Amino acid sequence: MADRFLRRAARTQGKAGEVVRKRTARAVLEQELIADGDRILIAVSGGKDSTVMAWALSRLKQSLKFDYELAALHISTDFCACCKKSVLAEKLEGWGIPFTDLFVPVVGRLKPGRKMNCYWCSTQRRTELLKYAVENDFNKIALGHHLDDIIETFFMNLCARGELSAMPVKIDYRKYPVTLIRPLAFLEERQIIACAAEQDTLKAACTCPYGIHSQRREMREKIAALTGGSGAVKRRIIRALTN
Ligand code: SF4
């Protein structure tokens, strides 16, 4: 029994990482996400998505023809301490990615009478991320949103806000000399989870007390019904969104 388990583990070892590496490379090449000489700042939360993205981008440096630099920025806040920063820093540095932690007092910046919410939090963190990138000469910022995030956001914008808009795979900021890229755009969440488990990075779960994702969860169920859970159908949807 144990032998059979070990044989199976040996056969599947590295497969999930290979899927992530190939699909990230495909997104990078097809969508022209990275160019020679780029300085890329990876936004890392300590969660599986951004950690797997950092790993994939560090691996691609060895196989892609162009040369680029990577660094990672984690934003700490005054309300959530779920990220094990020393473990994250050690992993990233092992992959040749320097790590910086920046503290942003998101709750402390609230005006009197205002309540904390996800919009305020993400705006504060995004502004600091951009400021850091500009001040430190990064021309690209990599975010760890994957195929399921992008499709969910598209349908949420459509159904809840009456807007036809999606998270772009690549977008230039008008106000800043920075381009935002999403190298995991062609990967389903389940593929990232498999890779994170293989890499032993699936440790930090976000325990943010303000995170109420019921709307997103409902949309996820509707999308599962629409696509039948098929990765091919999801990839057709993102092809339509990127065309
Ligand atoms: S879930 Fe928490 S960390 Fe995430 S955007 Fe909302 S408030 Fe910020």
Side-chain angles (χ1 to χ4, degrees):
M1 181 79 175
D3 280 356
R4 207 167 62 204
F5 174 79
L6 287 173
R7 274 203 303 277
R8 191 162 149 242
R11 261 204 321 276
T12 54
Q13 180 68 36
K15 271 196 179 165
E18 193 51 20
V19 170
V20 165
R21 211 184 53 75
K22 279 191 181 155
R23 288 200 187 276
T24 308
R26 189 164 177 193
V28 165
L29 295 171
E30 272 186 28
Q31 302 292 316
E32 298 178 353
L33 301 186
I34 299 181
D36 219 16
D38 273 350
R39 278 177 48 79
I40 304 171
L41 182 64
I42 305 173
V44 288
S45 64
K48 64 183 186 329
D49 303 335
S50 52
T51 313
V52 164
M53 174 174 68
W55 172 80
L57 291 179
S58 72
R59 285 298 160 276
L60 286 184
K61 260 175 85 102
Q62 295 156 13
S63 53
L64 292 180
K65 295 231 168 63
F66 29 77
D67 194 25
Y68 55 90
E69 278 177 56
L70 295 172
L73 181 72
H74 175 265
I75 295 186
S76 297
T77 62
D78 48 357
F79 63 90
C80 185
C82 55
C83 175
K84 294 191 181 94
K85 281 180 272 186
S86 56
V87 178
L88 180 63
E90 198 181 311
K91 261 204 188 295
L92 291 166
E93 279 159 13
W95 299 331
I97 304 174
F99 172 83
T100 303
D101 182 50
L102 183 72
F103 177 70
V104 179
V106 175
V107 177
R109 286 180 180 178
L110 280 169
K111 296 211 169 74
R114 294 289 174 141
K115 277 198 183 146
M116 172 63 182
N117 58 65
C118 287
Y119 178 74
W120 172 257
C121 169
S122 48
T123 309
Q124 294 301 305
R125 290 187 302 152
R126 183 66 62 88
T127 305
E128 294 300 332
L129 182 65
L130 277 163
K131 255 170 64 184
Y132 182 92
V134 172
E135 284 168 11
N136 291 280
D137 294 326
F138 290 98
N139 65 319
K140 289 196 175 145
I141 295 176
L143 300 181
H145 297 112
H146 48 69
L147 179 56
D148 293 288
D149 287 330
I150 295 172
I151 295 176
E152 279 159 30
T153 304
F154 170 73
F155 281 108
M156 280 170 69
N157 287 345
L158 178 67
C159 300
R161 296 167 63 186
E163 277 178 21
L164 266 182
S165 63
M167 284 173 173
V169 177
K170 179 183 177 189
I171 189 162
D172 296 328
Y173 270 98
R174 259 178 272 162
K175 281 200 331 202
Y176 304 92
V178 174
T179 300
L180 207 141
I181 58 172
R182 293 188 165 95
L184 300 184
F186 291 175
L187 277 154
E188 292 170 73
E189 186 176 32
R190 65 180 175 87
Q191 295 168 320
I192 294 168
I193 291 172
C195 179
E198 200 173 85
Q199 302 289 330
D200 196 24
T201 56
L202 196 60
K203 288 278 175 355
C206 181
T207 52
C208 169
Y210 302 100
I212 299 165
H213 296 296
S214 59
Q215 230 188 350
R216 189 168 280 273
R217 209 166 28 239
E218 272 173 36
M219 186 50 75
R220 190 167 289 195
E221 284 160 18
K222 287 177 189 159
I223 293 167
L226 177 74
T227 60
S230 159
V233 174
K234 290 183 197 171
R235 282 191 289 280
R236 266 176 237 137
I237 294 174
I238 195 144
R239 209 179 310 140
L241 294 175
T242 51
N243 277 339

